[in-house]
Amino acid sequence: MVSPLQHAHSVSSVTAADGLALAVEVAHPTGDPTVLFAHGFGQTRGAWTATVSALAARGCRCVSFDQRGHGESDRAPGGAYRIEQFTDDLARIARAQPQPPVLVGASMGGLLGLVTAAEASPLPYRALVLVDITPRWETAGIARIVTFMKAYPQGFADLAEAAEQIAAYLPQRRERKSAAQLEPLLRKGADGRLHWHWDPRLLGMVEDSERHQPRLLAAAASVDLPMLLLSGGRSDVVSRATVAEFMQLAPHARHVELPHATHMVAGDANDAFTREIIRFVESLDQPVARKMAGNLSS
């Protein structure tokens, strides 16, 4: 029988180098190995809920957090956001773990992981999973995301209006988000309307992101960690060309395509996504694989 500890969650605050408070959640705090999840732009740690539950049930210690400017983490005073702040936050959280974690990073979170894996010393991770992101991406896909995120500066009148707009943006999803799922994604402004949980001043950093591609390409070529690239077969951010380029830079990496997923891989195909994460974690060493298999069958 699975121990109740495997379902225990704790939420705490980690102080960034510049004093901002970052919301960090730990599931199954006594588990092993540690898997650290870094969400994409405009998301929160809630993006990983189903996968975290599945891995915690298998005995993993799962850590997720809200990036600065997102969710329950602080926003930068004056809206000053730089990539170095995000990479420092990620490395700081990784080094606070009892052992170097397996990092699972979606989109922006994956790029931050790639940079820190290449440039941070000492190395903060034992392995790296990139979720539908490569060092060079398709500009049109990012433009579509930014257009959606800019589309509602006045916010939404209520949760029903927000759900309608999200459903239009994600037509591949069969079910609309419930009120309980939407509430963490929105916050009520002084105007009484609901606004996204992320700081709109972050958009400037996203629009300027292509200038970092040479740094990211160099990082991919230098990282010697076990790596897995999980891409969506219907993604407009990652393509066969960008995947091929990444695999040339990092020939030791594995690539798995989930054919029915878009850029929102974990949300579109969560069961398949979770299975691939489990397989990758189990493959890192046999003792861990046996332990996780035992937890599943007990």
Side-chain angles (χ1 to χ4, degrees):
M1 186 173 181
V2 175
S3 165
L5 279 175
Q6 293 180 337
H7 300 292
H9 286 251
S10 64
V11 180
S12 61
S13 177
V14 169
T15 303
D18 58 359
L20 265 63
L22 306 173
V24 179
E25 185 169 351
V26 179
H28 190 9
T30 60
D32 177 47
T34 297
V35 183
L36 172 61
F37 295 86
H39 66 74
F41 180 78
Q43 296 183 309
T44 69
R45 66 186 192 272
W48 307 111
T49 298
T51 300
V52 162
S53 294
L55 266 71
R58 281 183 168 255
C60 292
R61 183 177 189 273
C62 296
V63 182
S64 55
F65 71 105
D66 292 339
Q67 307 263 14
R68 61 175 55 220
H70 294 76
E72 295 179 333
S73 290
D74 286 348
R75 299 185 175 193
Y81 293 99
R82 294 178 291 106
I83 189 173
E84 287 75 19
Q85 297 167 327
F86 288 84
T87 54
D88 184 79
D89 293 346
L90 183 55
R92 181 176 293 257
I93 292 171
R95 290 186 180 126
Q97 306 313 313
Q99 70 268 136
V102 176
L103 177 69
V104 180
S107 198
M108 177 183 76
L111 296 178
L112 297 172
L114 197 57
V115 169
T116 49
E119 300 178 5
S121 181
L123 186 64
Y125 321 118
R126 67 174 298 199
L128 179 60
V129 180
L130 303 178
V131 183
D132 206 65
I133 197 63
T134 45
R136 198 193 312 273
W137 50 85
E138 297 296 338
T139 302
I142 295 299
R144 179 186 61 83
I145 294 169
V146 171
T147 297
F148 173 74
M149 301 187 86
K150 282 183 166 182
Y152 308 99
Q154 304 306 316
F156 307 99
D158 51 31
L159 292 174
E161 182 185 356
E164 182 177 350
Q165 298 305 326
I166 292 172
Y169 176 65
L170 300 172
Q172 73 276 11
R173 302 281 177 88
R174 294 180 180 178
E175 297 181 1
R176 290 192 178 191
K177 287 186 177 292
S178 66
Q181 291 171 317
L182 279 174
E183 284 176 358
L185 304 180
L186 299 159
R187 59 172 67 183
K188 184 171 286 189
D191 57 1
R193 293 177 66 82
L194 298 174
H195 298 265
W196 297 122
H197 61 83
W198 48 269
D199 188 341
R201 296 171 297 186
L202 283 160
L203 280 167
M205 193 179 81
V206 176
E207 292 173 317
D208 190 40
S209 59
E210 284 194 6
R211 72 182 180 89
H212 298 293
Q213 287 183 347
R215 181 182 182 184
L216 292 160
L217 291 163
S222 67
V223 172
D224 194 29
L225 289 172
M227 280 197 290
L228 170 65
L229 169 61
L230 282 175
S231 66
R234 297 168 59 194
S235 173
D236 58 357
V237 173
V238 166
S239 66
R240 289 184 178 178
T242 69
V243 169
E245 180 182 45
F246 171 73
M247 295 303 293
Q248 277 193 320
L249 293 166
H252 67 286
R254 287 181 53 217
H255 171 231
V256 175
E257 180 183 287
L258 302 181
H260 302 297
T262 68
H263 183 58
M264 311 294 285
V265 174
D268 288 346
N270 190 260
D271 288 347
F273 169 78
T274 301
R275 282 195 300 270
E276 294 300 334
I277 298 296
I278 290 171
R279 286 188 185 122
F280 181 68
V281 173
E282 288 180 343
S283 74
L284 295 175
D285 57 62
Q286 291 306 306
V288 168
R290 286 196 296 270
K291 179 179 178 181
M292 292 176 70
N295 284 328
L296 181 65
S297 60
S298 60

PDB file of all heavy atoms in Angstrom, residues 3 66 157 163:
ATOM      1  N   SER A   3       2.320   4.703   0.954  1.00  0.00           N
ATOM      2  CA  SER A   3       2.370   5.438   2.207  1.00  0.00           C
ATOM      3  C   SER A   3       1.658   6.772   2.084  1.00  0.00           C
ATOM      4  O   SER A   3       1.753   7.451   1.065  1.00  0.00           O
ATOM      5  CB  SER A   3       3.834   5.686   2.591  1.00  0.00           C
ATOM      6  OG  SER A   3       3.919   6.667   3.590  1.00  0.00           O
ATOM      7  N   ASP A  66       6.520  28.463  -8.604  1.00  0.00           N
ATOM      8  CA  ASP A  66       6.061  29.526  -9.484  1.00  0.00           C
ATOM      9  C   ASP A  66       7.253  30.417  -9.824  1.00  0.00           C
ATOM     10  O   ASP A  66       7.910  30.952  -8.922  1.00  0.00           O
ATOM     11  CB  ASP A  66       4.976  30.372  -8.802  1.00  0.00           C
ATOM     12  CG  ASP A  66       3.673  29.618  -8.594  1.00  0.00           C
ATOM     13  OD1 ASP A  66       3.443  28.620  -9.295  1.00  0.00           O
ATOM     14  OD2 ASP A  66       2.883  30.041  -7.720  1.00  0.00           O
ATOM     15  N   ALA A 157     -14.644  39.575 -17.257  1.00  0.00           N
ATOM     16  CA  ALA A 157     -15.710  39.939 -16.323  1.00  0.00           C
ATOM     17  C   ALA A 157     -15.908  38.868 -15.255  1.00  0.00           C
ATOM     18  O   ALA A 157     -16.201  39.163 -14.100  1.00  0.00           O
ATOM     19  CB  ALA A 157     -17.012  40.171 -17.085  1.00  0.00           C
ATOM     20  N   ALA A 163     -12.974  31.156 -19.258  1.00  0.00           N
ATOM     21  CA  ALA A 163     -13.032  29.778 -19.749  1.00  0.00           C
ATOM     22  C   ALA A 163     -13.349  29.732 -21.235  1.00  0.00           C
ATOM     23  O   ALA A 163     -12.779  28.924 -21.990  1.00  0.00           O
ATOM     24  CB  ALA A 163     -14.085  28.994 -18.966  1.00  0.00           C
TER      25      ALA A 163
END
